């Protein structure tokens, strides 16, 4: 039995919103939860890949290991 007056209020049907749309209900200590990512739009679960590359790291990696189209494979450059 929980001690009275020391626990936060429990909401068994708390609503979870993602991008303004109701996506599910869960138990929580808050009546509403606003999230950016959930299993319905996460790349791991949807099978899509979204690469955010602001500094060219992915392109540099692909070029280094010969994965770019039109680039020759193998061989290391001397510095």
């Amino acid at each position: 039995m929980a001690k009275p007056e020391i626990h936060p209020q429990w909401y068994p049907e708390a609503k979870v919103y993602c991008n303004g749309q109701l996506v599910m209900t869960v138990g929580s200590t808050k009546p509403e939860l606003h999230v950016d990512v959930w299993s319905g739009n996460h790349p791991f679960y949807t099978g899509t890949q979204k690469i955010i590359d602001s500094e060219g790291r992915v392109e540099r990696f692909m070029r280094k290991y010969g994965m770019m189209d039109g680039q020759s494979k193998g061989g290391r450059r001397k510095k």
Side-chain angles (χ1 to χ4, degrees):
M1 194 74 193
K3 291 184 180 180
E5 299 181 20
I6 64 166
H7 296 282
Q9 183 176 357
W10 181 253
Y11 298 95
E13 296 293 323
K15 294 177 171 66
V16 180
Y17 293 95
C18 183
N19 296 328
Q21 294 180 335
L22 178 66
V23 293
M24 69 178 90
T25 58
V26 295
S28 177
T29 56
K30 295 186 178 188
E32 288 185 356
L33 302 167
H34 296 273
V35 297
D36 294 328
V37 177
W38 67 290
S39 62
N41 67 357
H42 191 279
F44 180 79
Y45 297 104
T46 61
T48 60
Q49 183 178 10
K50 183 194 243 183
I51 297 176
I52 300 173
D53 184 22
S54 60
E55 297 179 14
R57 292 182 189 142
V58 173
E59 184 179 319
R60 220 170 29 246
F61 175 86
M62 300 287 260
R63 198 173 359 163
K64 180 178 179 181
Y65 293 103
M67 297 178 191
M68 296 291 285
D69 291 339
Q71 298 289 327
S72 63
K73 290 187 175 182
R76 296 181 91 183
R77 263 187 356 210
K78 288 189 176 185
K79 293 183 179 180

